[in-house]
Amino acid sequence: MSSSTNYNQAFTKERFCGGDGFIVEGILQKHNIHTVFLQAKQSLNDTVLPTRYVAITIEFDNAVKRNWKDGVEIPPKMTRGTAITKGYLNKFDRVQATLVDKVNADQLSTAISDGNKNSSLPLNFHDDAIKNLHPNKKNYFEFWADIEKFSHKIFKSGDEVRIKTMGDSIFVDSVVKMDSNNIANFAGDSNLGDSFANNIMKRYDQIESNNQQQQEEEEDDDEWK
């Protein structure tokens, strides 16, 4: 199955891919080949986007903003897990670390639609698909992966996938199927079936728990001095 678009405006990375981008997880529903036929002359000073894509439709599960430092991607921002003292024995209540920049479906739709209201695609990109995407069909999104870089043959309906976008756009920077045969996730856990949010928070809580245990041991030592 294939589809196409005739597009008569600037179709460049500079035009559509500003911002830090998103990490989006969901269930793959379908994919097809989509071609963009450019009808307007493109600026020689800008980076023209590819024109043949694997259009990937997913059912949204969760998303978070990508996080960068000095041009290098780092794990998403987290609040620190904290320990609150309770009682005279200096026991602690745990406050779990949480993701700072989580994004819901409505926020994601607004960010990647380039101002096209009631749509999760920019205007004139693939208008026939809009009725089947968020917010018209709740939690369904379409992302475009350069067909020269990403093979649609490795995915099938029902696969759990993680997509990183190029800036705040529908264009795919990377996409992986979340199984044990793929690269490690941000938390470094081997179980890639878990969401990145749960894995990251698990790692932060482990670090904070070790710090708390060390603090309690130091306080116990002080009582015997």
Side-chain angles (χ1 to χ4, degrees), residues 103-150:
V103 178
N104 63 36
D106 290 337
Q107 292 169 326
L108 179 64
S109 179
T110 298
I112 65 178
S113 63
D114 192 49
N116 192 16
K117 292 183 178 179
N118 298 317
S119 172
S120 56
L121 290 176
L123 184 65
N124 297 327
F125 265 36
H126 191 190
D127 292 349
D128 289 343
I130 289 175
K131 63 181 181 294
N132 295 316
L133 300 174
H134 193 88
N136 302 299
K137 187 172 184 179
K138 190 173 177 62
N139 292 334
Y140 276 63
F141 288 84
E142 181 176 292
F143 295 93
W144 291 6
D146 181 0
I147 199 170
E148 296 297 326
K149 295 181 179 179
F150 304 103

Short mmCIF file of all heavy atoms in Angstrom, two decimals, residues 103-150:
data_model
loop_
_atom_site.label_atom_id
_atom_site.label_comp_id
_atom_site.label_asym_id
_atom_site.label_seq_id
_atom_site.Cartn_x
_atom_site.Cartn_y
_atom_site.Cartn_z
N VAL A 103 5.19 14.14 28.09
CA VAL A 103 4.31 14.80 27.13
C VAL A 103 3.11 13.91 26.88
O VAL A 103 3.27 12.71 26.62
CB VAL A 103 5.07 15.06 25.80
CG1 VAL A 103 4.16 15.69 24.77
CG2 VAL A 103 6.29 15.93 26.04
N ASN A 104 1.89 14.49 26.96
CA ASN A 104 0.72 13.67 26.66
C ASN A 104 0.38 13.77 25.18
O ASN A 104 1.02 14.50 24.41
CB ASN A 104 -0.47 14.08 27.55
CG ASN A 104 -0.93 15.51 27.32
OD1 ASN A 104 -0.91 16.02 26.20
ND2 ASN A 104 -1.36 16.18 28.40
N ALA A 105 -0.64 13.03 24.76
CA ALA A 105 -0.97 12.94 23.33
C ALA A 105 -1.37 14.30 22.75
O ALA A 105 -1.00 14.64 21.63
CB ALA A 105 -2.09 11.92 23.12
N ASP A 106 -2.13 15.09 23.51
CA ASP A 106 -2.55 16.40 23.02
C ASP A 106 -1.36 17.33 22.83
O ASP A 106 -1.27 18.07 21.84
CB ASP A 106 -3.56 17.04 23.98
CG ASP A 106 -4.91 16.33 23.97
OD1 ASP A 106 -5.23 15.68 22.95
OD2 ASP A 106 -5.63 16.44 24.97
N GLN A 107 -0.44 17.32 23.78
CA GLN A 107 0.75 18.17 23.69
C GLN A 107 1.63 17.75 22.52
O GLN A 107 2.16 18.60 21.80
CB GLN A 107 1.54 18.10 25.00
CG GLN A 107 0.81 18.73 26.18
CD GLN A 107 1.49 18.41 27.52
OE1 GLN A 107 2.04 17.32 27.71
NE2 GLN A 107 1.45 19.35 28.45
N LEU A 108 1.77 16.46 22.33
CA LEU A 108 2.58 15.96 21.21
C LEU A 108 1.94 16.37 19.89
O LEU A 108 2.63 16.84 18.98
CB LEU A 108 2.70 14.44 21.28
CG LEU A 108 3.51 13.77 20.17
CD1 LEU A 108 4.96 14.22 20.23
CD2 LEU A 108 3.41 12.24 20.26
N SER A 109 0.64 16.21 19.79
CA SER A 109 -0.07 16.57 18.56
C SER A 109 0.13 18.04 18.21
O SER A 109 0.40 18.39 17.06
CB SER A 109 -1.56 16.25 18.72
OG SER A 109 -2.28 16.60 17.56
N THR A 110 0.00 18.90 19.20
CA THR A 110 0.18 20.34 18.98
C THR A 110 1.60 20.66 18.52
O THR A 110 1.81 21.47 17.62
CB THR A 110 -0.14 21.12 20.27
OG1 THR A 110 -1.51 20.91 20.63
CG2 THR A 110 0.09 22.61 20.08
N ALA A 111 2.58 19.99 19.12
CA ALA A 111 3.99 20.30 18.85
C ALA A 111 4.42 19.88 17.45
O ALA A 111 5.22 20.57 16.81
CB ALA A 111 4.88 19.63 19.89
N ILE A 112 3.91 18.76 16.95
CA ILE A 112 4.42 18.22 15.69
C ILE A 112 3.56 18.57 14.47
O ILE A 112 3.92 18.25 13.34
CB ILE A 112 4.57 16.68 15.75
CG1 ILE A 112 3.22 15.98 15.90
CG2 ILE A 112 5.52 16.29 16.88
CD1 ILE A 112 3.31 14.46 15.93
N SER A 113 2.44 19.26 14.70
CA SER A 113 1.51 19.55 13.60
C SER A 113 1.80 20.87 12.89
O SER A 113 1.08 21.24 11.95
CB SER A 113 0.07 19.55 14.11
OG SER A 113 -0.12 20.60 15.06
N ASP A 114 2.82 21.60 13.37
CA ASP A 114 3.21 22.86 12.72
C ASP A 114 2.04 23.84 12.64
O ASP A 114 1.83 24.52 11.63
CB ASP A 114 3.77 22.58 11.32
CG ASP A 114 4.45 23.81 10.71
OD1 ASP A 114 5.28 24.42 11.39
OD2 ASP A 114 4.14 24.14 9.55
N GLY A 115 1.26 23.89 13.72
CA GLY A 115 0.17 24.86 13.79
C GLY A 115 -1.11 24.44 13.07
O GLY A 115 -2.06 25.22 13.01
N ASN A 116 -1.15 23.24 12.53
CA ASN A 116 -2.36 22.75 11.85
C ASN A 116 -3.35 22.25 12.90
O ASN A 116 -3.19 21.17 13.47
CB ASN A 116 -2.00 21.63 10.87
CG ASN A 116 -3.14 21.28 9.94
OD1 ASN A 116 -4.10 22.04 9.81
ND2 ASN A 116 -3.03 20.14 9.29
N LYS A 117 -4.38 23.02 13.18
CA LYS A 117 -5.30 22.73 14.28
C LYS A 117 -6.07 21.45 14.01
O LYS A 117 -6.38 21.10 12.89
CB LYS A 117 -6.26 23.90 14.48
CG LYS A 117 -5.59 25.17 15.00
CD LYS A 117 -6.61 26.27 15.25
CE LYS A 117 -5.95 27.52 15.81
NZ LYS A 117 -6.93 28.61 16.05
N ASN A 118 -6.38 20.75 15.13
CA ASN A 118 -7.14 19.50 15.08
C ASN A 118 -6.49 18.47 14.16
O ASN A 118 -7.16 17.73 13.45
CB ASN A 118 -8.58 19.76 14.62
CG ASN A 118 -9.33 20.68 15.58
OD1 ASN A 118 -9.23 20.51 16.80
ND2 ASN A 118 -10.07 21.63 15.04
N SER A 119 -5.17 18.44 14.23
CA SER A 119 -4.42 17.48 13.42
C SER A 119 -3.10 17.19 14.09
O SER A 119 -2.58 18.01 14.85
CB SER A 119 -4.17 18.05 12.01
OG SER A 119 -3.30 17.20 11.28
N SER A 120 -2.54 16.02 13.82
CA SER A 120 -1.19 15.72 14.29
C SER A 120 -0.21 15.66 13.11
O SER A 120 0.91 15.17 13.25
CB SER A 120 -1.17 14.40 15.07
OG SER A 120 -1.69 13.35 14.29
N LEU A 121 -0.64 16.17 11.95
CA LEU A 121 0.23 16.31 10.79
C LEU A 121 0.21 17.77 10.32
O LEU A 121 -0.83 18.44 10.41
CB LEU A 121 -0.26 15.43 9.63
CG LEU A 121 -0.11 13.91 9.76
CD1 LEU A 121 -0.76 13.24 8.55
CD2 LEU A 121 1.35 13.51 9.87
N PRO A 122 1.32 18.26 9.80
CA PRO A 122 1.31 19.60 9.20
C PRO A 122 0.35 19.66 8.00
O PRO A 122 0.06 18.64 7.37
CB PRO A 122 2.77 19.80 8.75
CG PRO A 122 3.56 18.91 9.65
CD PRO A 122 2.69 17.70 9.85
N LEU A 123 -0.11 20.84 7.71
CA LEU A 123 -1.05 21.05 6.61
C LEU A 123 -0.47 20.59 5.28
O LEU A 123 0.69 20.87 4.97
CB LEU A 123 -1.43 22.53 6.54
CG LEU A 123 -2.48 22.93 5.49
CD1 LEU A 123 -3.83 22.31 5.84
CD2 LEU A 123 -2.60 24.46 5.44
N ASN A 124 -1.26 19.88 4.51
CA ASN A 124 -0.91 19.40 3.16
C ASN A 124 0.16 18.31 3.14
O ASN A 124 0.69 17.99 2.07
CB ASN A 124 -0.46 20.56 2.26
CG ASN A 124 -1.57 21.58 2.04
OD1 ASN A 124 -2.75 21.22 1.98
ND2 ASN A 124 -1.20 22.85 1.92
N PHE A 125 0.45 17.73 4.29
CA PHE A 125 1.42 16.63 4.31
C PHE A 125 0.77 15.32 3.85
O PHE A 125 1.30 14.62 3.01
CB PHE A 125 2.02 16.46 5.71
CG PHE A 125 3.33 17.18 5.90
CD1 PHE A 125 3.55 18.42 5.29
CD2 PHE A 125 4.32 16.63 6.67
CE1 PHE A 125 4.76 19.08 5.47
CE2 PHE A 125 5.53 17.29 6.86
CZ PHE A 125 5.75 18.51 6.25
N HIS A 126 -0.33 15.00 4.48
CA HIS A 126 -1.05 13.76 4.16
C HIS A 126 -2.48 13.92 4.66
O HIS A 126 -2.92 13.21 5.58
CB HIS A 126 -0.37 12.56 4.81
CG HIS A 126 -0.87 11.23 4.33
ND1 HIS A 126 -0.52 10.03 4.93
CD2 HIS A 126 -1.69 10.90 3.30
CE1 HIS A 126 -1.10 9.03 4.29
NE2 HIS A 126 -1.82 9.53 3.31
N ASP A 127 -3.20 14.83 4.07
CA ASP A 127 -4.50 15.26 4.59
C ASP A 127 -5.51 14.12 4.65
O ASP A 127 -6.40 14.11 5.51
CB ASP A 127 -5.06 16.42 3.76
CG ASP A 127 -4.25 17.70 3.94
OD1 ASP A 127 -3.40 17.73 4.85
OD2 ASP A 127 -4.45 18.65 3.16
N ASP A 128 -5.39 13.14 3.76
CA ASP A 128 -6.33 12.02 3.78
C ASP A 128 -6.21 11.19 5.05
O ASP A 128 -7.16 10.48 5.43
CB ASP A 128 -6.08 11.10 2.57
CG ASP A 128 -6.51 11.75 1.26
OD1 ASP A 128 -7.27 12.74 1.31
OD2 ASP A 128 -6.08 11.26 0.20
N ALA A 129 -5.05 11.28 5.72
CA ALA A 129 -4.83 10.47 6.92
C ALA A 129 -5.33 11.15 8.19
O ALA A 129 -5.47 10.49 9.23
CB ALA A 129 -3.34 10.16 7.06
N ILE A 130 -5.61 12.45 8.13
CA ILE A 130 -5.91 13.22 9.33
C ILE A 130 -7.10 12.67 10.10
O ILE A 130 -7.09 12.62 11.34
CB ILE A 130 -6.13 14.71 8.98
CG1 ILE A 130 -4.79 15.35 8.58
CG2 ILE A 130 -6.75 15.47 10.14
CD1 ILE A 130 -4.90 16.78 8.10
N LYS A 131 -8.12 12.21 9.40
CA LYS A 131 -9.32 11.72 10.08
C LYS A 131 -9.03 10.46 10.91
O LYS A 131 -9.81 10.12 11.82
CB LYS A 131 -10.42 11.42 9.06
CG LYS A 131 -10.09 10.33 8.05
CD LYS A 131 -11.24 10.14 7.07
CE LYS A 131 -10.96 9.03 6.05
NZ LYS A 131 -9.82 9.40 5.16
N ASN A 132 -7.92 9.79 10.61
CA ASN A 132 -7.58 8.57 11.33
C ASN A 132 -6.46 8.76 12.34
O ASN A 132 -5.88 7.78 12.84
CB ASN A 132 -7.17 7.48 10.32
CG ASN A 132 -8.31 7.07 9.42
OD1 ASN A 132 -9.43 6.88 9.87
ND2 ASN A 132 -8.01 6.94 8.14
N LEU A 133 -6.15 10.03 12.63
CA LEU A 133 -5.07 10.34 13.57
C LEU A 133 -5.57 11.26 14.68
O LEU A 133 -6.60 11.91 14.56
CB LEU A 133 -3.91 11.01 12.82
CG LEU A 133 -3.26 10.20 11.69
CD1 LEU A 133 -2.23 11.05 10.96
CD2 LEU A 133 -2.62 8.92 12.22
N HIS A 134 -4.80 11.30 15.78
CA HIS A 134 -5.13 12.16 16.91
C HIS A 134 -5.25 13.63 16.46
O HIS A 134 -4.44 14.07 15.65
CB HIS A 134 -4.02 12.04 17.97
CG HIS A 134 -4.36 12.63 19.29
ND1 HIS A 134 -4.99 11.91 20.28
CD2 HIS A 134 -4.19 13.88 19.78
CE1 HIS A 134 -5.17 12.69 21.32
NE2 HIS A 134 -4.69 13.88 21.04
N PRO A 135 -6.23 14.37 16.96
CA PRO A 135 -7.22 14.02 17.99
C PRO A 135 -8.49 13.38 17.44
O PRO A 135 -9.39 13.05 18.22
CB PRO A 135 -7.53 15.38 18.62
CG PRO A 135 -7.40 16.33 17.47
CD PRO A 135 -6.26 15.81 16.63
N ASN A 136 -8.60 13.25 16.12
CA ASN A 136 -9.81 12.67 15.54
C ASN A 136 -9.95 11.18 15.88
O ASN A 136 -11.05 10.70 16.12
CB ASN A 136 -9.79 12.87 14.02
CG ASN A 136 -9.70 14.35 13.66
OD1 ASN A 136 -10.57 15.14 14.00
ND2 ASN A 136 -8.61 14.73 13.00
N LYS A 137 -8.85 10.47 15.87
CA LYS A 137 -8.81 9.10 16.37
C LYS A 137 -7.80 9.09 17.50
O LYS A 137 -6.59 9.15 17.28
CB LYS A 137 -8.41 8.12 15.27
CG LYS A 137 -8.51 6.66 15.71
CD LYS A 137 -8.30 5.70 14.54
CE LYS A 137 -8.49 4.26 14.97
NZ LYS A 137 -8.29 3.31 13.84
N LYS A 138 -8.30 9.07 18.69
CA LYS A 138 -7.50 9.32 19.89
C LYS A 138 -6.28 8.41 19.98
O LYS A 138 -6.38 7.19 19.81
CB LYS A 138 -8.37 9.14 21.14
CG LYS A 138 -7.72 9.60 22.43
CD LYS A 138 -8.71 9.55 23.56
CE LYS A 138 -8.06 9.93 24.89
NZ LYS A 138 -7.56 11.32 24.86
N ASN A 139 -5.13 9.06 20.22
CA ASN A 139 -3.84 8.39 20.48
C ASN A 139 -3.20 7.73 19.26
O ASN A 139 -2.21 7.01 19.42
CB ASN A 139 -3.98 7.35 21.60
CG ASN A 139 -4.25 7.99 22.94
OD1 ASN A 139 -3.88 9.13 23.19
ND2 ASN A 139 -4.92 7.25 23.81
N TYR A 140 -3.71 8.00 18.07
CA TYR A 140 -3.08 7.47 16.86
C TYR A 140 -2.24 8.56 16.19
O TYR A 140 -2.72 9.66 15.94
CB TYR A 140 -4.13 6.93 15.88
CG TYR A 140 -4.56 5.52 16.20
CD1 TYR A 140 -5.21 5.22 17.39
CD2 TYR A 140 -4.32 4.47 15.32
CE1 TYR A 140 -5.61 3.93 17.70
CE2 TYR A 140 -4.71 3.16 15.61
CZ TYR A 140 -5.35 2.91 16.81
OH TYR A 140 -5.74 1.62 17.11
N PHE A 141 -0.96 8.21 15.89
CA PHE A 141 -0.04 9.17 15.30
C PHE A 141 0.67 8.53 14.11
O PHE A 141 0.89 7.33 14.08
CB PHE A 141 1.01 9.61 16.33
CG PHE A 141 0.48 10.52 17.40
CD1 PHE A 141 -0.16 10.00 18.52
CD2 PHE A 141 0.60 11.91 17.28
CE1 PHE A 141 -0.65 10.83 19.50
CE2 PHE A 141 0.11 12.73 18.26
CZ PHE A 141 -0.53 12.20 19.38
N GLU A 142 1.05 9.40 13.15
CA GLU A 142 1.82 8.95 12.00
C GLU A 142 3.18 9.65 12.00
O GLU A 142 3.25 10.87 12.12
CB GLU A 142 1.07 9.27 10.70
CG GLU A 142 1.80 8.82 9.44
CD GLU A 142 1.00 9.06 8.18
OE1 GLU A 142 -0.04 8.38 8.02
OE2 GLU A 142 1.37 9.94 7.39
N PHE A 143 4.25 8.87 11.87
CA PHE A 143 5.60 9.41 11.79
C PHE A 143 6.24 8.94 10.49
O PHE A 143 5.97 7.83 10.02
CB PHE A 143 6.44 8.97 13.00
CG PHE A 143 5.93 9.51 14.31
CD1 PHE A 143 5.05 8.78 15.09
CD2 PHE A 143 6.33 10.76 14.75
CE1 PHE A 143 4.59 9.28 16.29
CE2 PHE A 143 5.87 11.28 15.95
CZ PHE A 143 4.98 10.53 16.72
N TRP A 144 7.12 9.78 9.94
CA TRP A 144 7.73 9.49 8.65
C TRP A 144 9.21 9.16 8.82
O TRP A 144 9.99 9.98 9.29
CB TRP A 144 7.57 10.68 7.71
CG TRP A 144 6.16 10.93 7.27
CD1 TRP A 144 5.02 10.31 7.69
CD2 TRP A 144 5.74 11.91 6.31
NE1 TRP A 144 3.92 10.83 7.07
CE2 TRP A 144 4.33 11.80 6.20
CE3 TRP A 144 6.40 12.85 5.54
CZ2 TRP A 144 3.58 12.62 5.36
CZ3 TRP A 144 5.67 13.66 4.69
CH2 TRP A 144 4.27 13.54 4.59
N ALA A 145 9.59 7.95 8.38
CA ALA A 145 10.98 7.49 8.45
C ALA A 145 11.54 7.39 7.04
O ALA A 145 10.94 6.78 6.16
CB ALA A 145 11.05 6.13 9.14
N ASP A 146 12.69 8.00 6.82
CA ASP A 146 13.37 7.99 5.53
C ASP A 146 13.54 6.54 5.05
O ASP A 146 14.18 5.73 5.72
CB ASP A 146 14.73 8.67 5.67
CG ASP A 146 15.51 8.74 4.36
OD1 ASP A 146 15.01 8.25 3.33
OD2 ASP A 146 16.64 9.28 4.40
N ILE A 147 12.97 6.22 3.91
CA ILE A 147 12.99 4.84 3.42
C ILE A 147 14.41 4.36 3.11
O ILE A 147 14.69 3.16 3.11
CB ILE A 147 12.08 4.70 2.17
CG1 ILE A 147 11.72 3.23 1.94
CG2 ILE A 147 12.75 5.30 0.94
CD1 ILE A 147 10.64 3.04 0.90
N GLU A 148 15.33 5.30 2.87
CA GLU A 148 16.72 4.92 2.59
C GLU A 148 17.45 4.46 3.86
O GLU A 148 18.45 3.75 3.78
CB GLU A 148 17.47 6.11 1.97
CG GLU A 148 16.93 6.55 0.62
CD GLU A 148 17.07 5.46 -0.44
OE1 GLU A 148 18.07 4.71 -0.39
OE2 GLU A 148 16.18 5.35 -1.31
N LYS A 149 16.93 4.86 5.03
CA LYS A 149 17.60 4.54 6.28
C LYS A 149 16.87 3.47 7.09
O LYS A 149 17.49 2.76 7.89
CB LYS A 149 17.75 5.80 7.14
CG LYS A 149 18.65 6.86 6.53
CD LYS A 149 18.75 8.06 7.46
CE LYS A 149 19.67 9.13 6.89
NZ LYS A 149 19.77 10.32 7.77
N PHE A 150 15.57 3.39 6.92
CA PHE A 150 14.77 2.49 7.75
C PHE A 150 13.97 1.53 6.87
O PHE A 150 13.22 1.95 6.00
CB PHE A 150 13.81 3.28 8.64
CG PHE A 150 14.51 4.30 9.50
CD1 PHE A 150 14.47 5.65 9.16
CD2 PHE A 150 15.21 3.92 10.63
CE1 PHE A 150 15.11 6.59 9.95
CE2 PHE A 150 15.85 4.86 11.42
CZ PHE A 150 15.80 6.19 11.08
#
